[in-house]
Amino acid sequence: MCLAIPALVTAVLADDMATVSLGGVVKTVSVALLDEVAVGDYVLLHVGYALHKISEEEAERTLAMMAEGGLLQAELDEIAGDAA
């Protein structure tokens, strides 16, 4: 389905890249579209790009709504498949 999904930045890498964690899935993504990003930031992730920084509260609220709607696990499975 490819929705934008909140992810936690766990490492900032060279060349506008970062490692993010989403529900136990770890993925390297581009942060080139953001002015600055730091470990501990939450970003909206879509097809390998961090599109926007969001607050922890907004990330938690969005993830809860996605889980309630039955969308979260499908998105995590899709992302995990891409990471494999």
Side-chain angles (χ1 to χ4, degrees):
M1 185 177 290
C2 289
L3 300 173
I5 186 169
L8 175 65
V9 176
T10 57
V12 177
L13 309 172
D15 300 321
D16 290 327
M17 300 298 284
T19 301
V20 297
S21 176
L22 348 110
V25 177
V26 176
K27 187 167 177 89
T28 300
V29 301
S30 172
V31 292
L33 301 174
L34 302 177
D35 288 332
E36 63 179 59
V37 67
V39 171
D41 285 345
Y42 281 86
V43 296
L44 282 179
L45 180 68
H46 180 65
V47 294
Y49 289 88
L51 302 176
H52 186 70
K53 286 190 343 184
I54 60 173
S55 69
E56 181 177 1
E57 295 78 19
E58 183 66 22
E60 290 172 356
R61 194 168 41 248
T62 301
L63 290 169
M65 285 190 298
M66 290 179 76
E68 186 177 309
L71 300 172
L72 183 58
Q73 192 58 52
E75 287 300 309
L76 292 176
D77 290 346
E78 187 172 320
I79 292 166
D82 290 345

